[in-house]
Amino acid sequence: MIERLEATLAKYEELEQELTKPEVLGDIKKTRQYSKEMADLEEIVACYKKYKKVLESIEDTKEMIKDPELSEMAKEELKGLEEEKEKLDGELEVLLIPKDPNDSKNVIMEIRGAAGGDEANIFAGDLFRMYTRYAEKNGFTYQVYNSVDGTAGGFAQIELMIKGNGAYSKLKYESGSHRVQRVPVTESNGRLQTSTATVLVMPEADEDVEIEINPNDIRVDIYRSSGNGGQGVNTTDSAVRITHLPTNIVVTCQNERSQIQNREQAMKVLKSRLYELQEQEKAEKEGNERRSKIGTGDRAEKIRTYNYPQNRVTDHRIGFTTNSLDRVMDGALDDIIDALIQEDQKRKLQGEMSE
């Protein structure tokens, strides 16, 4: 572990030196790249420097124990330092887990009503509110770029982008099938019903990610917007649907005011969809990542149940249960997401140790 930490510290110091050179400072792309690399290493370097200071203090304190007058006080101090060293050991182990390169990115999210008809669409609307409330509480912003209203409320589907540093690191575990158990407002006999909505989460592809989209591989359809977009919606042909013919991926954007804006947004989302497809294929080839991953990330995988009569939410992947469904539906997702992050780190650590 110390070898890896020393190598990380050396890399950080090297980047620090590079960023003082005029030829690097004159190159915006290089400056941005080196600054990002430094920022990614900053937390681990700060923790390791603290760890080294604690090790030095332990050695100094051991020397003090040899002095009869200082022995008792030094022994007490050594106990505290040993505890701090153990704590930092654990922190450094977690920090050394290879980072997901997508963690700092924005999120593209798609929510769809699935099994359960009108109630599934109403639940998709509830999930949309849950995620947008969570986004607001974390200082993220969101923007809906396409929506299809449900006939009795909610959404048949809604697609949005959630923007903010680290958005993907928090929301990447949400992909899958979400199940609700409750008496629907559409149910006249008061019977409990189980319905589902599906969620798909993808990182937004960076501008510098090279995803080639051949103009001959896409079909662009222009039509009249039907969603909530304020003035201009339903009066002009501004909605854009792009079909990527080789993969049959379809992206629709209708919530911007102009056709040009909708097309730009749709191309951004298409690029992210193709990037996600490329990453999935790469992970399947390598094989290792999926074995330790929490869930498959597949839209069809049942990941969570929201039981309204018992005010209970259960995440089936890690066996986590909380009896505060009302708070969760109001965006208080931190306990569930923190439990998923901790389990993910634990599995990655076990994977590292078994290699």
Side-chain angles (χ1 to χ4, degrees), residues 126-144:
D126 293 338
L127 290 178
F128 167 72
R129 183 181 181 276
M130 178 182 83
Y131 288 124
T132 52
R133 292 285 291 123
Y134 174 77
E136 286 164 357
K137 286 177 182 184
N138 280 272
F140 302 150
T141 60
Y142 68 89
Q143 177 188 11
V144 174

Side-chain angles (χ1 to χ4, degrees), residues 327-338:
R327 289 182 60 251
V328 168
M329 297 313 291
D330 195 40
L333 274 165
D334 292 302
D335 288 350
I336 300 173
I337 286 171
D338 288 348

Side-chain angles (χ1 to χ4, degrees), residues 317-348:
R317 296 163 296 178
I318 58 171
F320 178 88
T321 296
T322 176
N323 290 97
S324 54
L325 178 140
D326 50 342
R327 289 182 60 251
V328 168
M329 297 313 291
D330 195 40
L333 274 165
D334 292 302
D335 288 350
I336 300 173
I337 286 171
D338 288 348
L340 286 159
I341 289 169
Q342 282 168 22
E343 180 61 24
D344 192 25
Q345 288 174 344
K346 186 175 129 191
R347 291 185 192 184
K348 281 176 179 168

